[in-house]
Amino acid sequence: MSQIALHPLPPFKPPLHTRAWSSTPHPTLPLLATAHDKQVTVYSLSTLTKHSSLTGGHTRSVRCAAWKPGLPSGKLCLVTGSFDATAGLWRWDGPQSSQPDGDELELDVSAATQKQNRPPGSDDRSEKEEEEEEEEEEEDWEFTLVLEGHENEIKSASFSPSGQFLATSSRDKTVWIWEDVGSAEGDDEWETVAVLSDHDGDVKAVAWAPDTPGRNKRGRYGGGADVLATASYDDTVRVWREDGEGEWVCVAVLEGHGGTVWGVQWEGRPRREGDMPRLMSWSADGTVRVWRLVEEEEEEEREEGWGGGGIPNTMRRGLREEWVCEAVLPRVHGRDVYSATWSAQSGRVASTGSDGVVAVYEEVEGTGDGDAVITGEGKEAEGRWRVLGTVANAHGPYEVNHVTWCKRFDAGADRKGVEEMLVTTGDDGTVRPWQIIEG
């Protein structure tokens, strides 16, 4: 089978010269938000240069950023989570576009981007004029709201697919769920609807399940369709749902990692319509795991075998779900896996961590390739994974904190908006794109 090579493209400019925590692509536009120091730098995926900056909202380092989905064209909303224990809401109201979101390949709202595209020698403005232009650029982002409640650093933030809910997690061992109650009136008003405190350690990450076709028709409970996963220093992953009475409850505890679970991500492209997306987690134990929900049909078959009799399923099951570890990806990393990313387009997975290695994996079904994995029930896992390619020292001697799949919009892309690349973010302050070269 074919392998791939990871070819480093020129890093995003300018470099940040400080530890960078993560880079988050916009769901539809060619923009990338990188969290570092006390700010966020937004890069253009079209020019691979600085697009705009968000500064002045936090007193300590910004650890994470999340884009609000489903906004009208020309409007941006970003939430930042900081070590100062607050989350900040930022908005940009730019010019409206006649193009549908899916076809809008560039959002020219930054004077800095226009300046960077000018031919050399065409800009004879003074240094003072350039500084004033940069200040105007930063003022285009409005810091509209501070969300307070956490007692310690915020480590992660994530919007639900509709944008109605925001989840934040913290070193204080809690997850807060906030609801947007002012959007109908055009106001920034958010209310706390739940504080989840079941974890016994820092909550490193939160992630909402995507709204995939057909899934909600097979929902197990009568409450909301949104599903949240959380990862913690207590070595576990937890899955949460809103029950029929509007309460957020933990429906599953996923155990198996032998160290801090640094993050979780849902599968963006389920294998069959209507299936619950699988869940991926990665850990200080050096492994990446894939988890699968045991669907109702499977559970009913088991209960019949156990002699369930005439007891209603709802009474036997309660607000609980059974998840099994379907696969442990082939071991590549010698130390902590800080980040992993699951492509909704190709289904490939990439991972990175404290050893500076970037690895790409592919799932191969129905063959003997890859590592066989035994689930908790003693059954051989259906999915097998193999390593497609690796690169060592991706950021030199520095740790790599984050990796994400991005659509390519730059001049070197063969299919803009379709072709994918990887972007890594590291302690060296470099944000580096990687071209995937098929072998």
Side-chain angles (χ1 to χ4, degrees):
M1 291 191 176
S2 63
Q3 297 292 112
I4 65 165
L6 296 173
H7 174 68
L9 299 172
F12 286 81
K13 296 181 180 179
L16 302 175
H17 302 298
T18 183
R19 172 184 289 170
W21 292 106
S22 63
S23 295
T24 308
H26 189 279
T28 58
L29 298 173
L31 300 173
L32 184 77
T34 298
H36 65 103
D37 200 25
K38 300 175 184 178
Q39 62 181 297
V40 169
T41 294
V42 178
Y43 288 107
S44 165
L45 292 173
S46 296
T47 63
L48 305 184
T49 57
K50 179 183 173 182
H51 176 285
S52 52
S53 296
L54 290 71
T55 61
H58 293 287
T59 59
R60 295 184 62 190
S61 181
V62 176
R63 181 64 175 82
C64 60
W67 295 98
K68 192 175 193 291
L71 295 180
S73 176
K75 293 184 180 294
L76 302 173
C77 177
L78 193 72
V79 161
T80 51
S82 170
F83 280 25
D84 65 12
T86 69
L89 191 75
W90 307 74
R91 289 194 180 271
W92 179 300
D93 291 330
Q96 297 296 310
S97 169
S98 60
Q99 300 288 335
D101 283 350
D103 296 331
E104 191 174 61
L105 300 184
E106 183 57 84
L107 188 63
D108 290 323
V109 295
S110 169
T113 301
Q114 296 170 7
K115 172 185 149 183
Q116 289 156 351
N117 289 335
R118 293 191 184 102
S122 64
D123 190 352
D124 57 358
R125 290 166 301 163
S126 67
E127 183 177 341
K128 181 178 180 181
E129 288 174 322
E130 292 180 0
E131 290 177 354
E132 289 175 349
E133 184 178 80
E134 290 181 1
E135 289 176 0
E136 290 175 358
E137 165 212 337
E138 294 176 1
E139 289 172 359
D140 288 330
W141 280 100
E142 183 182 1
F143 188 56
T144 62
L145 187 66
V146 178
L147 299 176
E148 297 179 297
H150 284 293
E151 297 177 0
N152 300 105
E153 302 99 298
I154 291 179
K155 299 294 185 71
S156 179
S158 177
F159 278 102
S160 63
S162 67
Q164 177 185 3
F165 296 112
L166 170 71
T168 57
S169 67
S170 169
R171 185 182 174 186
D172 64 13
K173 305 180 183 180
T174 68
V175 175
W176 286 52
I177 298 179
W178 317 77
E179 184 177 9
D180 185 355
V181 296
S183 58
E185 291 76 26
D187 298 328
D188 274 330
E189 184 180 353
W190 292 73
E191 290 184 354
T192 306
V193 295
V195 177
L196 314 178
S197 55
D198 288 18
H199 279 293
D200 294 326
D202 303 13
V203 186
K204 298 294 187 183
V206 289
W208 293 95
D211 189 8
T212 53
R215 174 170 69 83
N216 294 339
K217 295 179 182 178
R218 300 172 63 185
R220 303 182 57 167
Y221 309 126
D226 291 304
V227 184
L228 182 69
T230 58
S232 172
Y233 194 83
D234 64 13
D235 304 352
T236 71
V237 173
R238 291 178 181 263
V239 180
W240 309 77
R241 288 182 186 264
E242 187 181 17
D243 66 14
E245 299 179 355
E247 297 292 327
W248 287 89
V249 294
C250 177
V251 297
V253 179
L254 282 53
E255 297 177 306
H257 280 297
T260 298
V261 185
W262 284 102
V264 285
Q265 185 182 13
W266 294 90
E267 179 182 24
R269 189 190 65 170
R271 291 170 294 180
R272 296 179 302 177
E273 183 173 321
D275 277 2
M276 182 69 195
R278 291 175 293 175
L279 184 63
M280 178 173 65
S281 60
W282 50 94
S283 167
D285 66 11
T287 68
V288 179
R289 293 174 176 260
V290 176
W291 308 83
R292 174 177 61 84
L293 172 67
V294 177
E295 296 284 0
E296 283 184 331
E297 292 84 353
E298 298 176 67
E299 199 166 297
E300 288 171 1
E301 290 176 3
R302 278 196 219 161
E303 287 169 350
E304 288 175 4
W306 292 339
I311 303 174
N313 280 343
T314 52
M315 291 181 63
R316 289 201 304 271
R317 183 175 57 242
L319 289 178
R320 301 294 298 175
E321 294 181 351
E322 183 179 357
W323 287 75
V324 295
C325 181
E326 178 182 273
V328 180
L329 273 59
R331 182 110 183 195
V332 172
H333 299 282
R335 296 199 294 273
D336 295 40
V337 180
Y338 285 155
S339 178
T341 179
W342 201 337
S343 170
Q345 179 172 310
S346 68
R348 289 174 174 175
V349 165
S351 64
T352 191
S354 63
D355 58 4
V357 172
V358 177
V360 179
Y361 316 79
E362 181 178 65
E363 187 173 19
V364 183
E365 302 207 30
T367 75
D369 294 324
D371 291 350
V373 175
I374 305 301
T375 69
E377 303 165 315
K379 298 179 181 178
E380 187 172 308
E382 297 174 2
R384 300 167 185 263
W385 293 78
R386 68 188 186 98
V387 179
L388 285 179
T390 63
V391 59
N393 302 315
H395 285 239
Y398 296 93
E399 293 188 344
V400 184
N401 295 316
H402 192 259
V403 61
T404 185
W405 292 102
C406 277
K407 297 291 180 65
R408 289 192 66 179
F409 296 92
D410 58 283
D414 293 330
R415 296 172 297 155
K416 290 187 177 182
V418 176
E419 181 182 350
E420 283 191 309
M421 66 179 179
L422 287 171
V423 174
T424 55
T425 307
D427 275 0
D428 57 349
T430 300
V431 182
R432 181 180 295 280
W434 299 84
Q435 182 182 6
I436 307 297
I437 301 176
E438 303 290 339

